[in-house]
Coordinates of all heavy atoms in Angstrom, one line a residue:
L183 N 46.3 -5.6 -16.4 CA 46.7 -6.9 -17.0 C 46.3 -6.8 -18.5 O 47.1 -7.3 -19.3 CB 46.1 -8.1 -16.3 CG 46.7 -8.4 -14.9 CD1 45.9 -9.5 -14.2 CD2 48.1 -8.8 -15.0
T184 N 45.1 -6.4 -18.8 CA 44.7 -6.3 -20.2 C 45.7 -5.4 -21.0 O 46.1 -5.7 -22.1 CB 43.3 -5.7 -20.3 OG1 42.4 -6.6 -19.5 CG2 42.8 -5.7 -21.7
N185 N 46.1 -4.3 -20.3 CA 47.0 -3.4 -21.0 C 48.4 -4.1 -21.2 O 49.1 -3.7 -22.2 CB 47.3 -2.1 -20.1 CG 46.0 -1.3 -20.1 OD1 45.1 -1.4 -21.0 ND2 45.9 -0.4 -19.1
L186 N 48.7 -5.0 -20.4 CA 50.0 -5.8 -20.6 C 49.8 -7.0 -21.5 O 50.6 -7.9 -21.6 CB 50.5 -6.2 -19.2 CG 51.0 -5.2 -18.2 CD1 51.3 -5.8 -16.9 CD2 52.3 -4.5 -18.8
R187 N 48.6 -7.1 -22.0 CA 48.2 -8.2 -22.9 C 48.2 -9.6 -22.1 O 48.6 -10.6 -22.6 CB 49.0 -8.4 -24.1 CG 49.0 -7.1 -25.0 CD 49.4 -7.3 -26.4 NE 49.7 -6.0 -27.1 CZ 48.7 -5.2 -27.4 NH1 47.5 -5.4 -27.0 NH2 49.1 -4.0 -28.0
V188 N 47.7 -9.5 -20.9 CA 47.6 -10.7 -20.1 C 46.2 -11.0 -19.8 O 45.4 -10.1 -19.4 CB 48.4 -10.5 -18.7 CG1 48.2 -11.7 -17.8 CG2 49.9 -10.3 -19.0
K189 N 45.8 -12.3 -20.0 CA 44.4 -12.6 -19.8 C 44.0 -12.9 -18.3 O 44.8 -13.5 -17.6 CB 44.1 -13.9 -20.6 CG 42.7 -14.4 -20.5 CD 42.4 -15.5 -21.5 CE 42.9 -16.9 -21.0 NZ 42.6 -18.0 -21.9
S190 N 42.8 -12.4 -17.9 CA 42.4 -12.7 -16.5 C 41.3 -13.7 -16.6 O 40.4 -13.7 -17.4 CB 41.8 -11.4 -15.9 OG 42.8 -10.4 -15.7
V191 N 41.4 -14.6 -15.6 CA 40.3 -15.7 -15.4 C 39.8 -15.7 -14.0 O 40.6 -15.4 -13.1 CB 41.0 -17.1 -15.7 CG1 39.9 -18.2 -15.5 CG2 41.5 -17.2 -17.1
L192 N 38.5 -15.8 -13.8 CA 38.0 -15.9 -12.5 C 37.6 -17.4 -12.2 O 36.9 -18.0 -12.9 CB 36.7 -15.1 -12.4 CG 36.0 -15.0 -11.1 CD1 36.8 -14.4 -10.0 CD2 34.7 -14.2 -11.2
L193 N 38.2 -17.8 -11.0 CA 38.0 -19.2 -10.6 C 37.4 -19.2 -9.2 O 38.0 -18.6 -8.3 CB 39.4 -19.9 -10.6 CG 39.5 -21.4 -10.4 CD1 38.7 -22.2 -11.4 CD2 41.0 -21.8 -10.4
T194 N 36.3 -19.9 -9.0 CA 35.6 -19.8 -7.7 C 34.8 -21.0 -7.4 O 34.3 -21.7 -8.3 CB 34.7 -18.5 -7.6 OG1 34.1 -18.5 -6.3 CG2 33.6 -18.6 -8.7
G195 N 34.7 -21.3 -6.1 CA 33.8 -22.3 -5.6 C 32.4 -21.8 -5.5 O 31.4 -22.6 -5.3
D196 N 32.2 -20.5 -5.6 CA 30.8 -19.9 -5.5 C 30.0 -20.2 -6.7 O 30.5 -20.7 -7.8 CB 31.0 -18.4 -5.3 CG 29.8 -17.8 -4.6 OD1 28.8 -18.5 -4.5 OD2 29.9 -16.6 -4.2
S197 N 28.7 -19.9 -6.7 CA 27.8 -20.2 -7.7 C 28.1 -19.4 -9.0 O 28.8 -18.4 -9.0 CB 26.4 -19.8 -7.3 OG 26.3 -18.4 -7.1
R198 N 27.6 -19.9 -10.1 CA 27.7 -19.2 -11.4 C 27.2 -17.8 -11.4 O 27.8 -16.8 -11.9 CB 27.0 -20.1 -12.5 CG 27.0 -19.5 -13.9 CD 27.2 -20.6 -14.9 NE 28.6 -21.0 -14.9 CZ 29.5 -20.4 -15.7 NH1 29.2 -19.4 -16.4 NH2 30.8 -20.9 -15.7
A199 N 26.0 -17.6 -10.8 CA 25.4 -16.3 -10.8 C 26.3 -15.3 -10.0 O 26.5 -14.1 -10.5 CB 24.0 -16.4 -10.1
S200 N 26.8 -15.7 -8.9 CA 27.6 -14.8 -8.1 C 28.9 -14.5 -8.9 O 29.4 -13.4 -8.9 CB 27.9 -15.5 -6.8 OG 28.7 -14.8 -6.0
A201 N 29.5 -15.5 -9.5 CA 30.8 -15.3 -10.2 C 30.6 -14.4 -11.4 O 31.4 -13.5 -11.7 CB 31.3 -16.7 -10.7
Q202 N 29.5 -14.6 -12.1 CA 29.2 -13.7 -13.3 C 29.0 -12.3 -12.9 O 29.5 -11.4 -13.7 CB 27.9 -14.2 -14.0 CG 28.0 -15.5 -14.8 CD 28.9 -15.3 -16.1 OE1 29.3 -14.2 -16.4 NE2 29.2 -16.4 -16.8
R203 N 28.4 -12.0 -11.8 CA 28.3 -10.7 -11.3 C 29.6 -10.0 -11.1 O 29.8 -8.8 -11.6 CB 27.5 -10.7 -9.9 CG 26.4 -9.8 -9.7 CD 25.8 -10.1 -8.4 NE 25.6 -8.8 -7.7 CZ 24.5 -8.1 -7.8 NH1 23.6 -8.4 -8.6 NH2 24.5 -6.9 -7.1
V204 N 30.5 -10.7 -10.5 CA 31.9 -10.1 -10.3 C 32.6 -9.9 -11.6 O 33.2 -8.9 -11.9 CB 32.7 -11.0 -9.3 CG1 34.1 -10.5 -9.2 CG2 32.0 -10.9 -7.9
A205 N 32.5 -11.0 -12.4 CA 33.3 -10.9 -13.7 C 32.8 -9.8 -14.6 O 33.6 -9.1 -15.2 CB 33.1 -12.3 -14.4
Q206 N 31.5 -9.6 -14.6 CA 30.9 -8.5 -15.4 C 31.4 -7.1 -14.9 O 31.7 -6.3 -15.7 CB 29.4 -8.6 -15.4 CG 28.8 -8.5 -16.7 CD 27.4 -9.2 -16.8 OE1 26.6 -9.0 -15.9 NE2 27.2 -10.1 -17.7
A207 N 31.3 -7.0 -13.6 CA 31.8 -5.7 -13.0 C 33.2 -5.4 -13.3 O 33.6 -4.2 -13.5 CB 31.5 -5.7 -11.5
L208 N 34.0 -6.4 -13.5 CA 35.5 -6.2 -13.6 C 36.0 -6.4 -15.1 O 37.1 -6.1 -15.4 CB 36.3 -7.2 -12.7 CG 36.0 -7.1 -11.2 CD1 36.8 -8.1 -10.5 CD2 36.2 -5.7 -10.7
G209 N 35.1 -6.8 -16.0 CA 35.5 -7.0 -17.4 C 36.3 -8.3 -17.6 O 37.2 -8.3 -18.4
I210 N 36.0 -9.3 -16.8 CA 36.6 -10.6 -17.0 C 35.7 -11.5 -17.8 O 34.5 -11.6 -17.5 CB 36.9 -11.3 -15.6 CG1 37.8 -10.5 -14.8 CG2 37.4 -12.7 -15.9 CD1 38.1 -11.1 -13.4
S211 N 36.2 -12.0 -19.0 CA 35.3 -12.8 -19.8 C 35.4 -14.3 -19.6 O 34.5 -15.0 -20.0 CB 35.6 -12.5 -21.3 OG 37.0 -12.7 -21.5
E212 N 36.4 -14.7 -18.9 CA 36.5 -16.2 -18.7 C 36.2 -16.5 -17.2 O 37.0 -16.0 -16.3 CB 37.9 -16.7 -19.1 CG 37.8 -18.1 -19.6 CD 39.0 -18.4 -20.5 OE1 39.3 -17.6 -21.4 OE2 39.6 -19.5 -20.3
V213 N 35.2 -17.3 -17.0 CA 34.8 -17.6 -15.6 C 34.6 -19.1 -15.4 O 34.0 -19.8 -16.2 CB 33.4 -16.9 -15.4 CG1 32.9 -17.3 -14.0 CG2 33.5 -15.4 -15.6
Q214 N 35.1 -19.6 -14.3 CA 34.9 -21.0 -13.9 C 34.3 -21.0 -12.5 O 35.0 -20.7 -11.6 CB 36.2 -21.8 -14.0 CG 36.8 -21.7 -15.4 CD 37.5 -23.0 -15.8 OE1 37.3 -24.0 -15.3 NE2 38.5 -22.8 -16.7
A215 N 33.0 -21.3 -12.4 CA 32.4 -21.3 -11.1 C 32.1 -22.7 -10.6 O 32.3 -23.7 -11.3 CB 31.0 -20.5 -11.2
E216 N 31.7 -22.8 -9.3 CA 31.3 -24.0 -8.7 C 32.4 -25.0 -8.7 O 32.2 -26.2 -8.9 CB 30.0 -24.6 -9.3 CG 28.8 -23.7 -9.0 CD 27.5 -24.1 -9.6 OE1 27.3 -25.3 -9.8 OE2 26.7 -23.2 -9.9
Q217 N 33.7 -24.6 -8.5 CA 34.8 -25.4 -8.6 C 35.3 -25.9 -7.2 O 35.5 -25.0 -6.3 CB 36.0 -24.7 -9.2 CG 35.7 -24.2 -10.6 CD 35.6 -25.3 -11.6 OE1 36.5 -26.1 -11.7 NE2 34.5 -25.3 -12.4
L218 N 35.4 -27.1 -7.0 CA 35.9 -27.7 -5.7 C 37.5 -27.5 -5.7 O 38.0 -27.3 -6.8 CB 35.6 -29.2 -5.6 CG 34.1 -29.5 -5.6 CD1 33.9 -31.0 -5.6 CD2 33.5 -28.9 -4.3

Side-chain angles (χ1 to χ4, degrees):
L183 288 172
T184 304
N185 292 341
L186 293 171
R187 303 199 193 294
V188 174
K189 179 170 80 176
S190 294
V191 176
L192 179 63
L193 185 61
T194 180
D196 202 349
S197 66
R198 176 141 286 275
S200 179
Q202 284 292 355
R203 226 179 133 85
V204 169
Q206 228 153 48
L208 301 180
I210 298 177
S211 55
E212 212 158 313
V213 178
Q214 305 210 23
E216 294 176 33
Q217 301 291 310
L218 297 174

